[in-house]
Amino acid sequence: MTRLLNGIVAFGSALLLAVTLIGAGFAAVAIPDAATAALSQAFSGCDQPNTPFTADELAFMAIAGKRYTFDDNDREKLDAAIAEANAAAEADGRADVLNGESDARSLPADAISHLDDVYRVASVAKPALVIVAALCIAGLAHVAVRISRRALGRTLMAGGGLVLAAFCALGAWAVIDFDGLFAAFHSLFFQAGTWTFPYDSLLITLYPTAFWMGMGGIWLAVTCGLSILAVLIGFTLGHKQHD
C-alpha cells in the first residue's frame, strides 16, 4: 500500500510540476508590465501606419489595457489612459476631434467585454496556479523524503520532459500556423465571435499578431528554460544516487 501511495504521489507530482512550469511562463507575461511594455513599443501599430498615435502613446494604452485585463479591472483608469492619448493626438493635430469615438481610437463595448472575459479567466487561473505550485512542492518534498533522491530526480525529469515535448509540438504548430494556434487557444476559454475584431480597431492596433507572437515566445522561453533546468537537476540527482 505504501509503495502504491508513493507511486501515485510521484506521478501526481510530475503532472503538478508540468502545470507549474507552464504557469511560470504565464506569470512571466501576465503579472509584470515589462513584457507588455517592451512588445508594445516594438509592435503596437506595426500594421496600422495611419494610426494617429505615437509609439509611446500606443505603449501607454497597451499597458493600461494589460493592467485592466490582468491586474485591477479598473475601467476608469483604462478610459483615462485612452482619453489622455486621444487628447495628445488631437492637440498635436494628428487626430480629428470629431472622429474621437471611432473604434480606431477607442475600445467599444464588445472589446471591453472580451477584456472582461479574459480577466475572469485570469482571476481563476492565478490562484489556481498558486495552489498547484504549493501542492507540487509538497509532493516533491514527499518524494524526496519518503522515497529517495533518485525518485525525486525521475519525477523532475518526467515533469520537465513532458512540458518540453508538449511545447515542442506547440512551437512547431506556431511556426506552421500561428493564427490557427491562436484561434484554438482562444476557443478553449471564449465563445466564438467574442474575441475577433476589425483589423483597424484600437484593440488590434495595440495588440497585433506580432505582439502575441512575442508574448508566446517569452512564455515559451521561460517555461522551456525552467523545464530544462528541472530535467538537468533531475538527471544530476539520479546520477549521484546511482553513484
Side-chain angles (χ1 to χ4, degrees):
M1 180 63 71
T2 300
R3 186 174 181 179
L4 176 62
L5 176 61
N6 287 338
I8 292 173
V9 172
F11 177 76
S13 297
L15 294 180
L16 290 170
L17 176 60
V19 175
T20 299
L21 292 169
I22 295 171
F26 168 74
V29 297
I31 295 178
D33 292 341
T36 299
L39 292 172
S40 61
Q41 279 284 356
F43 300 118
S44 292
C46 65
D47 296 332
Q48 301 294 337
N50 295 323
T51 179
F53 302 113
T54 66
D56 287 340
E57 289 164 354
L58 290 170
F60 179 66
M61 289 187 286
I63 293 171
K66 176 266 173 189
R67 291 174 179 170
Y68 177 81
T69 306
F70 291 101
D71 300 339
D72 52 28
N73 204 229
D74 190 326
R75 179 68 183 274
E76 289 186 2
K77 290 182 179 179
L78 176 60
D79 288 344
I82 295 173
E84 182 177 337
N86 272 280
E90 291 165 3
D92 291 349
R94 290 178 277 116
D96 182 355
V97 177
L98 298 178
N99 198 32
E101 297 301 320
S102 71
D103 288 358
R105 294 178 56 194
S106 64
L107 296 178
D110 57 345
I112 294 296
S113 178
H114 176 59
L115 296 183
D116 288 338
D117 288 343
V118 176
Y119 178 78
R120 283 188 284 271
V121 172
S123 296
V124 173
K126 287 191 286 188
L129 290 171
V130 171
I131 293 172
V132 167
L135 292 174
C136 174
I137 293 172
L140 293 176
H142 176 92
V143 172
V145 174
R146 297 293 184 181
I147 307 178
S148 67
R149 288 176 58 189
R150 187 175 186 181
L152 175 61
R154 290 196 299 267
T155 302
L156 291 172
M157 291 179 67
L162 177 62
V163 173
L164 289 172
F167 269 51
C168 281
L170 291 174
W173 186 358
V175 170
I176 296 171
D177 180 20
F178 181 83
D179 289 341
L181 174 61
F182 191 77
F185 179 81
H186 275 69
S187 68
L188 294 175
F189 303 101
F190 312 112
Q191 293 183 354
T194 64
W195 52 270
T196 54
F197 302 93
Y199 178 76
D200 60 349
S201 66
L202 179 60
L203 189 63
I204 300 303
T205 300
L206 295 177
Y207 311 111
T209 298
F211 175 93
W212 293 116
M213 291 180 71
M215 279 292 186
I218 294 173
W219 191 335
L220 182 71
V222 171
T223 293
C224 287
L226 292 175
S227 299
I228 291 171
L229 181 61
V231 170
L232 292 176
I233 293 174
F235 177 81
T236 301
L237 289 174
H239 185 68
K240 287 182 176 180
Q241 182 72 16
H242 179 73
D243 291 342

Short mmCIF file of all heavy atoms in Angstrom, two decimals, residues 188-215:
data_model
loop_
_atom_site.label_atom_id
_atom_site.label_comp_id
_atom_site.label_asym_id
_atom_site.label_seq_id
_atom_site.Cartn_x
_atom_site.Cartn_y
_atom_site.Cartn_z
N LEU A 188 -10.71 27.57 -26.39
CA LEU A 188 -10.78 26.80 -25.14
C LEU A 188 -11.46 27.59 -24.03
O LEU A 188 -12.05 27.02 -23.12
CB LEU A 188 -9.37 26.41 -24.68
CG LEU A 188 -8.59 25.43 -25.56
CD1 LEU A 188 -7.18 25.25 -25.01
CD2 LEU A 188 -9.30 24.08 -25.62
N PHE A 189 -11.36 28.92 -24.09
CA PHE A 189 -11.83 29.75 -22.99
C PHE A 189 -12.95 30.71 -23.35
O PHE A 189 -13.66 31.18 -22.45
CB PHE A 189 -10.65 30.57 -22.44
CG PHE A 189 -9.48 29.74 -21.98
CD1 PHE A 189 -8.35 29.61 -22.78
CD2 PHE A 189 -9.52 29.08 -20.77
CE1 PHE A 189 -7.27 28.85 -22.37
CE2 PHE A 189 -8.44 28.31 -20.35
CZ PHE A 189 -7.31 28.19 -21.15
N PHE A 190 -13.11 31.03 -24.63
CA PHE A 190 -14.06 32.07 -25.02
C PHE A 190 -14.99 31.58 -26.12
O PHE A 190 -14.61 30.76 -26.96
CB PHE A 190 -13.32 33.32 -25.49
CG PHE A 190 -12.22 33.76 -24.57
CD1 PHE A 190 -10.89 33.67 -24.97
CD2 PHE A 190 -12.50 34.23 -23.29
CE1 PHE A 190 -9.86 34.05 -24.11
CE2 PHE A 190 -11.49 34.61 -22.43
CZ PHE A 190 -10.17 34.53 -22.85
N GLN A 191 -16.20 32.12 -26.13
CA GLN A 191 -17.18 31.75 -27.15
C GLN A 191 -16.77 32.33 -28.50
O GLN A 191 -16.18 33.42 -28.58
CB GLN A 191 -18.56 32.28 -26.76
CG GLN A 191 -19.17 31.62 -25.53
CD GLN A 191 -20.56 32.11 -25.24
OE1 GLN A 191 -21.06 33.04 -25.88
NE2 GLN A 191 -21.22 31.51 -24.26
N ALA A 192 -17.11 31.60 -29.54
CA ALA A 192 -16.79 32.05 -30.90
C ALA A 192 -17.45 33.40 -31.17
O ALA A 192 -18.59 33.64 -30.78
CB ALA A 192 -17.26 31.02 -31.91
N GLY A 193 -16.71 34.27 -31.82
CA GLY A 193 -17.23 35.58 -32.18
C GLY A 193 -17.03 36.66 -31.13
O GLY A 193 -17.26 37.84 -31.41
N THR A 194 -16.58 36.26 -29.92
CA THR A 194 -16.41 37.27 -28.86
C THR A 194 -14.98 37.80 -28.78
O THR A 194 -14.70 38.71 -28.02
CB THR A 194 -16.78 36.67 -27.48
OG1 THR A 194 -15.88 35.59 -27.17
CG2 THR A 194 -18.21 36.17 -27.48
N TRP A 195 -14.08 37.19 -29.58
CA TRP A 195 -12.68 37.61 -29.48
C TRP A 195 -12.08 38.01 -30.84
O TRP A 195 -10.87 38.13 -30.97
CB TRP A 195 -11.84 36.51 -28.84
CG TRP A 195 -11.99 35.16 -29.50
CD1 TRP A 195 -12.89 34.19 -29.20
CD2 TRP A 195 -11.19 34.64 -30.57
NE1 TRP A 195 -12.73 33.10 -30.02
CE2 TRP A 195 -11.68 33.35 -30.87
CE3 TRP A 195 -10.11 35.13 -31.30
CZ2 TRP A 195 -11.13 32.54 -31.87
CZ3 TRP A 195 -9.57 34.34 -32.30
CH2 TRP A 195 -10.08 33.06 -32.57
N THR A 196 -12.93 38.24 -31.83
CA THR A 196 -12.46 38.71 -33.14
C THR A 196 -12.94 40.14 -33.35
O THR A 196 -14.10 40.46 -33.05
CB THR A 196 -12.97 37.81 -34.27
OG1 THR A 196 -14.40 37.69 -34.18
CG2 THR A 196 -12.37 36.42 -34.16
N PHE A 197 -12.05 40.98 -33.89
CA PHE A 197 -12.34 42.41 -34.02
C PHE A 197 -11.84 42.93 -35.36
O PHE A 197 -10.98 42.30 -35.99
CB PHE A 197 -11.70 43.18 -32.85
CG PHE A 197 -12.16 42.70 -31.52
CD1 PHE A 197 -11.43 41.73 -30.82
CD2 PHE A 197 -13.33 43.18 -30.95
CE1 PHE A 197 -11.87 41.26 -29.59
CE2 PHE A 197 -13.77 42.72 -29.72
CZ PHE A 197 -13.04 41.75 -29.04
N PRO A 198 -12.35 44.08 -35.80
CA PRO A 198 -11.90 44.65 -37.08
C PRO A 198 -10.39 44.87 -37.10
O PRO A 198 -9.78 45.19 -36.08
CB PRO A 198 -12.67 45.97 -37.15
CG PRO A 198 -13.88 45.76 -36.32
CD PRO A 198 -13.43 44.87 -35.20
N TYR A 199 -9.85 44.72 -38.28
CA TYR A 199 -8.39 44.83 -38.47
C TYR A 199 -7.85 46.18 -38.00
O TYR A 199 -6.75 46.25 -37.45
CB TYR A 199 -8.09 44.64 -39.96
CG TYR A 199 -6.64 44.77 -40.34
CD1 TYR A 199 -5.75 43.75 -40.07
CD2 TYR A 199 -6.17 45.91 -40.99
CE1 TYR A 199 -4.41 43.86 -40.42
CE2 TYR A 199 -4.84 46.04 -41.34
CZ TYR A 199 -3.96 45.02 -41.07
OH TYR A 199 -2.65 45.13 -41.41
N ASP A 200 -8.64 47.25 -38.20
CA ASP A 200 -8.17 48.59 -37.85
C ASP A 200 -8.67 49.08 -36.50
O ASP A 200 -8.54 50.26 -36.17
CB ASP A 200 -8.56 49.60 -38.93
CG ASP A 200 -10.07 49.69 -39.11
OD1 ASP A 200 -10.79 48.83 -38.56
OD2 ASP A 200 -10.53 50.62 -39.81
N SER A 201 -9.24 48.19 -35.68
CA SER A 201 -9.73 48.60 -34.36
C SER A 201 -8.56 48.92 -33.44
O SER A 201 -7.44 48.45 -33.63
CB SER A 201 -10.59 47.49 -33.75
OG SER A 201 -9.79 46.34 -33.47
N LEU A 202 -8.84 49.71 -32.41
CA LEU A 202 -7.78 50.08 -31.47
C LEU A 202 -7.22 48.85 -30.76
O LEU A 202 -6.01 48.76 -30.53
CB LEU A 202 -8.32 51.09 -30.45
CG LEU A 202 -7.31 51.54 -29.38
CD1 LEU A 202 -6.11 52.22 -30.01
CD2 LEU A 202 -7.98 52.47 -28.36
N LEU A 203 -8.09 47.90 -30.43
CA LEU A 203 -7.63 46.71 -29.71
C LEU A 203 -6.59 45.94 -30.54
O LEU A 203 -5.55 45.52 -30.01
CB LEU A 203 -8.81 45.80 -29.38
CG LEU A 203 -8.51 44.63 -28.44
CD1 LEU A 203 -8.07 45.12 -27.08
CD2 LEU A 203 -9.73 43.71 -28.31
N ILE A 204 -6.86 45.78 -31.83
CA ILE A 204 -5.91 45.06 -32.69
C ILE A 204 -4.68 45.93 -32.96
O ILE A 204 -3.57 45.41 -33.11
CB ILE A 204 -6.59 44.68 -34.02
CG1 ILE A 204 -7.80 43.77 -33.74
CG2 ILE A 204 -5.61 43.97 -34.93
CD1 ILE A 204 -7.46 42.49 -32.96
N THR A 205 -4.85 47.24 -33.01
CA THR A 205 -3.70 48.13 -33.19
C THR A 205 -2.75 48.02 -32.00
O THR A 205 -1.53 47.98 -32.16
CB THR A 205 -4.16 49.59 -33.34
OG1 THR A 205 -5.01 49.71 -34.48
CG2 THR A 205 -2.97 50.53 -33.51
N LEU A 206 -3.32 47.94 -30.80
CA LEU A 206 -2.50 47.82 -29.59
C LEU A 206 -1.84 46.45 -29.49
O LEU A 206 -0.68 46.33 -29.07
CB LEU A 206 -3.35 48.07 -28.35
CG LEU A 206 -3.94 49.47 -28.17
CD1 LEU A 206 -4.81 49.52 -26.92
CD2 LEU A 206 -2.84 50.50 -28.10
N TYR A 207 -2.58 45.42 -29.88
CA TYR A 207 -2.09 44.04 -29.71
C TYR A 207 -2.18 43.28 -31.04
O TYR A 207 -3.03 42.39 -31.19
CB TYR A 207 -2.90 43.32 -28.64
CG TYR A 207 -3.05 44.10 -27.34
CD1 TYR A 207 -4.30 44.61 -26.96
CD2 TYR A 207 -1.96 44.33 -26.51
CE1 TYR A 207 -4.44 45.32 -25.77
CE2 TYR A 207 -2.09 45.04 -25.32
CZ TYR A 207 -3.34 45.53 -24.96
OH TYR A 207 -3.48 46.24 -23.79
N PRO A 208 -1.32 43.57 -31.98
CA PRO A 208 -1.34 42.87 -33.28
C PRO A 208 -0.77 41.46 -33.16
O PRO A 208 -0.26 41.06 -32.08
CB PRO A 208 -0.46 43.76 -34.16
CG PRO A 208 0.51 44.37 -33.20
CD PRO A 208 -0.27 44.61 -31.94
N THR A 209 -0.80 40.73 -34.24
CA THR A 209 -0.30 39.35 -34.23
C THR A 209 1.16 39.28 -33.78
O THR A 209 1.53 38.39 -33.00
CB THR A 209 -0.44 38.73 -35.63
OG1 THR A 209 -1.82 38.68 -36.01
CG2 THR A 209 0.11 37.31 -35.65
N ALA A 210 1.97 40.22 -34.24
CA ALA A 210 3.39 40.21 -33.86
C ALA A 210 3.56 40.35 -32.35
O ALA A 210 4.47 39.75 -31.75
CB ALA A 210 4.14 41.33 -34.58
N PHE A 211 2.69 41.13 -31.72
CA PHE A 211 2.73 41.29 -30.26
C PHE A 211 2.49 39.93 -29.59
O PHE A 211 3.22 39.54 -28.68
CB PHE A 211 1.66 42.30 -29.83
CG PHE A 211 1.52 42.45 -28.34
CD1 PHE A 211 2.22 43.43 -27.67
CD2 PHE A 211 0.67 41.63 -27.61
CE1 PHE A 211 2.09 43.59 -26.29
CE2 PHE A 211 0.53 41.77 -26.23
CZ PHE A 211 1.24 42.76 -25.57
N TRP A 212 1.47 39.21 -30.05
CA TRP A 212 1.14 37.92 -29.43
C TRP A 212 2.19 36.86 -29.73
O TRP A 212 2.43 35.97 -28.91
CB TRP A 212 -0.25 37.47 -29.87
CG TRP A 212 -1.32 38.37 -29.35
CD1 TRP A 212 -2.17 39.16 -30.08
CD2 TRP A 212 -1.63 38.62 -27.98
NE1 TRP A 212 -2.98 39.87 -29.25
CE2 TRP A 212 -2.69 39.56 -27.95
CE3 TRP A 212 -1.12 38.13 -26.77
CZ2 TRP A 212 -3.23 40.02 -26.76
CZ3 TRP A 212 -1.67 38.60 -25.58
CH2 TRP A 212 -2.71 39.53 -25.58
N MET A 213 2.81 36.96 -30.88
CA MET A 213 3.92 36.04 -31.17
C MET A 213 5.07 36.29 -30.20
O MET A 213 5.72 35.34 -29.72
CB MET A 213 4.38 36.22 -32.61
CG MET A 213 3.36 35.75 -33.64
SD MET A 213 3.91 35.95 -35.36
CE MET A 213 5.18 34.68 -35.44
N GLY A 214 5.31 37.56 -29.89
CA GLY A 214 6.34 37.89 -28.91
C GLY A 214 5.98 37.38 -27.53
O GLY A 214 6.84 36.82 -26.80
N MET A 215 4.73 37.53 -27.14
CA MET A 215 4.27 37.02 -25.85
C MET A 215 4.45 35.50 -25.79
O MET A 215 4.90 34.94 -24.79
CB MET A 215 2.80 37.38 -25.63
CG MET A 215 2.56 38.78 -25.14
SD MET A 215 3.17 38.99 -23.45
CE MET A 215 2.58 40.64 -23.09
#
